[in-house]
Amino acid sequence: HVCRAYLTGSWSKDFTNLGDWYAHLLRESPTGTVHVHVLGCTVTANPANVEYMLKTNFDNFPKGKTFAALLGDLLGGGIFNVDGDAWRHQRKMASLELGSVAVRSYAFKIIAQEVESRLMPLLAGAADAGEVVDLQDVFRRFAFDTICKISFGLDPGCLEKEMPMSKLADAFDTATRLCAMRGAAASPLLWKMKRLLNVGSERELRNAIKLVDELAAAMIRERRKLGVANSHDLLSRFMASAGDVDVDDKYLRDIVVSFLLAGRDTVSSALTTLFMLLSKNPAVAAAMRAETAGDEGSTPVITYEHLKGLHYTHAVLYENMRMFPPVQFDSKFCAAADVLPDGTYVSGGARVMYHPYAMGRMPSIWGADHGVFRPERWLTGAGGTFVPESLYRYPVFQAGLRVCLGKELAITEMKAVAVAVVRAFDVEVVGESGSAACAPKFVSGLTASVSGGLPVRIRRARNN
Ligand code: HEM
């Protein structure tokens, strides 16, 4: 009956999103695992299984060729899309750079600049004009400008006042949307045939990728011309770390495109659901404002040290992503037949999916109040300090050997935005999605985005 419900779409009579239906099935299952035969896929919300796949028996659960084929035309051999030695090599290099003080402080400077010189003036303008703005669109532009500056050292200017269309952002959007469509198809044969004949969505995808390639090549040329000696963007760092070796442009293009994918829609997705939740929970917004009130009047400038000390705000971000993880599910490929810790048999070549969206809705992990937005559940340390949960119970940033490399950067970026906006404005979601009872509907894609965007009205906070 599960396969029938999947194929006919009848699950949608009772559930808003496919993820809500999976969460229901996984809650009903005694092991927290189900098998959807028609997809050849085992879906799990069991933390012991997640740990087994992502750490204990990591080598038996690679991304696999099927996943690589879906994104291969866009991501090439970039870190997201490869396994084995190609992955190990990029992972080592990228974690070295992202962990370095120089890159971290460069990234923080970019974030602070983007918040203060673009995001805040734009929101202030909307507040003064009394306009309704689509906050999801604003955050996507913000996140794109930020990750492009961090990755390439170049500025697409998507969040300029006139909200220009960036060719790169546009081509990137089209390419990721069409790659996600490939993944949602019941059989890969159809898209492979369309690709062979260069028709329909595959023709559109090819054109979008061609544009991404041209623009990435132009940025790499520009970076070579400007020189890399004193630059801290990731592209320059990767070029510099290759030393005298004349690194291939295709290799650089693949790494940097992976970073754009990793760092843009994830951050904007989390910020969008955060402000949706804050609009419905004004007491939480008020508590966040109170936490930052200490330096009211002293310094409106965001500093790294200040952000680090904000435990309540940190808890709010984690609680938001528990309920609405930007990457709602993640699939691995089971190389050789295996038995998961909960006793589930998985045949060689099958897909296994762990599901952070469903895991955030499991009473076995979060208790009976899993449906309640309650940041306090994270503040169990001495004096109400933030205590992290095991990443295998909360795999929002994945976990184990392939855990997200941009986690700290993403948290800093989201905190910087949350603090600045909450301190200065009241944000109210308008329309249907603003009502307390309305659950968001997500558009299926590689990262979660809210269908119809997030229309909000912005007012200056009373003390501003
Ligand atoms: C809220 C924001 C973010 C979330 C929820 C998130 C989540 C994730 C997840 C679930 C994965 C695993 C994906 C997979 O293997 O299929 C991942 C990997 C990765 N993330 Fe993030 N991410 C975020 C922000 C960022 C940012 C800002 C960057 C870069 C600056 C970044 C860089 C990466 C990289 C390079 C990987 C690949 C790691 C590997 O395969 O070894 N992420 N992230």
Side-chain angles (χ1 to χ4, degrees), residues 63 80 87 91 262-263 266 330 396-398 402 404 406 409-410:
K63 296 214 158 186
F80 256 114
W87 165 72
R91 170 103 193 166
T266 48
D330 198 22
V396 163
F397 291 97
Q398 192 156 259
R402 280 191 98 141
C404 171
L409 180 71

Side-chain angles (χ1 to χ4, degrees), residues 54 58 63 67 71 78-82 87-88 90-92 94-95 98 147 150-151 234 255 258-271 321 324-332 354 356 395-399 401-411 413-414 447:
L54 301 183
F58 174 80
K63 296 214 158 186
F67 178 85
L71 288 171
I79 184 166
F80 256 114
N81 218 35
V82 286
W87 165 72
R88 236 168 247 117
Q90 286 184 52
R91 170 103 193 166
K92 203 166 149 199
S95 62
L98 275 173
I147 196 67
I150 293 172
S151 303
L234 291 169
I255 299 182
S258 276
F259 270 85
L260 292 193
L261 179 72
R264 181 223 194 169
D265 288 349
T266 48
V267 169
S268 61
S269 170
L271 285 171
M321 289 187 289
F324 301 117
V327 183
Q328 295 189 342
F329 60 88
D330 198 22
S331 303
K332 302 289 177 197
Y354 68 91
V396 163
F397 291 97
Q398 192 156 259
L401 279 77
R402 280 191 98 141
V403 67
C404 171
L405 278 173
K407 180 169 167 251
E408 300 312 319
L409 180 71
I411 298 279
E413 186 173 342
M414 294 186 296
T447 33

Side-chain angles (χ1 to χ4, degrees), residues 61-76 78-83 179-180 182-183 188 191-192 195 258 261 327 329-333 349-353 398 402 445-446:
F61 293 94
K63 296 214 158 186
K65 290 201 177 83
T66 317
F67 178 85
L70 294 178
L71 288 171
D73 295 325
L74 175 64
L75 295 182
I79 184 166
F80 256 114
N81 218 35
V82 286
D83 291 306
C179 285
R182 282 177 171 181
W191 71 258
K192 286 191 174 165
R195 182 173 67 174
S258 276
L261 179 72
V327 183
F329 60 88
D330 198 22
S331 303
K332 302 289 177 197
F333 167 85
R351 244 170 95 196
V352 191
M353 179 193 281
Q398 192 156 259
R402 280 191 98 141
L446 300 175

